[in-house]
Amino acid sequence: MSSITPIGIVRTPFKEKFGIPKQPHLANEVQATIEIATAICAPESFEQLEGFNFIWLLGCFHLAESKSTKVRPPKLGGNEKVGVFATRSPFRPNPLSLSLVKLISIHHDEASKKMILTISGIDLVNETPVFDIKPYIPSHDTPWEPVKTGWVEDSSDKTYEVIWSDEAKSKVKELEVTTDQQKMINSILKIDPRPAYHNSHKSYFIVLDQFDIEFTVQNHQVIILNIKNSTR
Amino acid sequence: MSSITPIGIVRTPFKEKFGIPKQPHLANEVQATIEIATAICAPESFEQLEGFNFIWLLGCFHLAESKSTKVRPPKLGGNEKVGVFATRSPFRPNPLSLSLVKLISIHHDEASKKMILTISGIDLVNETPVFDIKPYIPSHDTPWEPVKTGWVEDSSDKTYEVIWSDEAKSKVKELEVTTDQQKMINSILKIDPRPAYHNSHKSYFIVLDQFDIEFTVQNHQVIILNIKNSTR
């Protein structure tokens, strides 16, 4: 049996598990990088990968510790259980993640001796270890009959309008939050990152890049209450 | 870091690497089973998986030993090299396979205390270790922009007419080759399993289930010359 060893790491704005999109394509403005040490994988291993625009990222759910036979998917409101193999839950017998991401660019960083792959559409926490990268090839990766998705209601989830409060707007100037960072925050909050079983009007905190963001949800609007430099 | 341990094994008709389809969907009549010991994964781990008809099978390329930075894909005639991450080659830094397969049925075998998943569209050698099973969910697994596939010419490959010689036909009766086995043999041979860089008219041998099959390719027809009980 060959052994499995991480070849690199994913750098994402998601510093904590809370807020990571369950539907990566809905937050596809969020960019991330895959960093691979060239001591492990020579730059020529990546030759002609730049001709593909979608790749599979196989990683390790390194923060998932509990291993149950059944899990409570957010899609079912957090109360019903289904078998772990009928889900994409991180809490599974082997902590292998599988993510379809968009490949934006590849370059070799001379200083760090790393291959840097810029990607978007990411659904992984920062510092996720990477095991493998494979190109998306339609003849391998497309079902050849109409798809059935069982308990998953697979319509695209509705998105919310995101409103920045006056307090938050003033902090944007003070903290010099860039336009790209504002877009990224909007794209995460518009898909309502709250756990499905919470539905109150209280405020929530999400850590994105270096910011702690406080928000609440009212009448199908996400309202950003405050934004601060994160201490986490 | 969590460890990765096989949870089961795939039983396929492909006893050897030669002849395994590179385009699984073209040989989707070929059935296989995934056997998972219930001591490792309780039957309830599979609850509601039967509602899905396509699953990802993450396995281990256990026969792949050499690890090159570049490989020679059959699609390029076997002479040109591309980086291993731009391919689905089994010879990669971590021997992780990723296969989309059709899920036909699931049952718990009381005698062997195993979960048996019957699948089709398989591209793995017999006894491939299994690490994980995940449902195919379009919102996770469908590119959100038109796909680019670089060096891969991703049109479906042409298929060949399969002819059984008189010698082979008489062996079918003698060896009691079932109709399903004949269909399976046809579906593998019609996609011409020869390596791309061979194109002579000599005969080739392929092991499928318990049979050794001798064939040749002439004028876009695959001719089955003989079929014997395999000693392998």
Side-chain angles (χ1 to χ4, degrees), chain A residues 218-232:
Chain A
Q218 280 174 24
N219 306 320
H220 295 283
Q221 289 183 325
V222 174
I223 299 153
I224 301 178
L225 301 171
N226 205 347
I227 173 167
K228 295 191 286 189
N229 282 319
S230 178
T231 53
R232 278 172 274 196

Side-chain angles (χ1 to χ4, degrees), chain B residues 100-169:
Chain B
L100 182 66
V101 299
K102 190 177 167 201
L103 178 61
I104 295 168
S105 66
I106 306 177
H107 83 275
H108 179 210
D109 184 57
E110 297 283 350
S112 65
K113 294 204 183 346
K114 283 179 180 167
M115 295 300 295
I116 310 287
L117 283 66
T118 302
I119 57 174
S120 70
I122 190 76
D123 58 354
L124 295 168
V125 72
N126 190 41
E127 300 189 344
T128 294
V130 175
F131 290 133
D132 200 4
I133 286 163
K134 299 177 192 280
Y136 178 94
I137 302 177
S139 64
H140 289 60
D141 299 318
T142 307
W144 50 93
E145 289 183 19
V147 172
K148 294 179 196 163
T149 55
W151 64 267
V152 175
E153 191 199 333
D154 200 36
S155 58
S156 280
D157 292 55
K158 60 172 171 247
T159 58
Y160 292 73
E161 189 186 2
V162 180
I163 313 276
W164 294 65
S165 69
D166 290 342
E167 172 75 14
K169 276 184 199 160

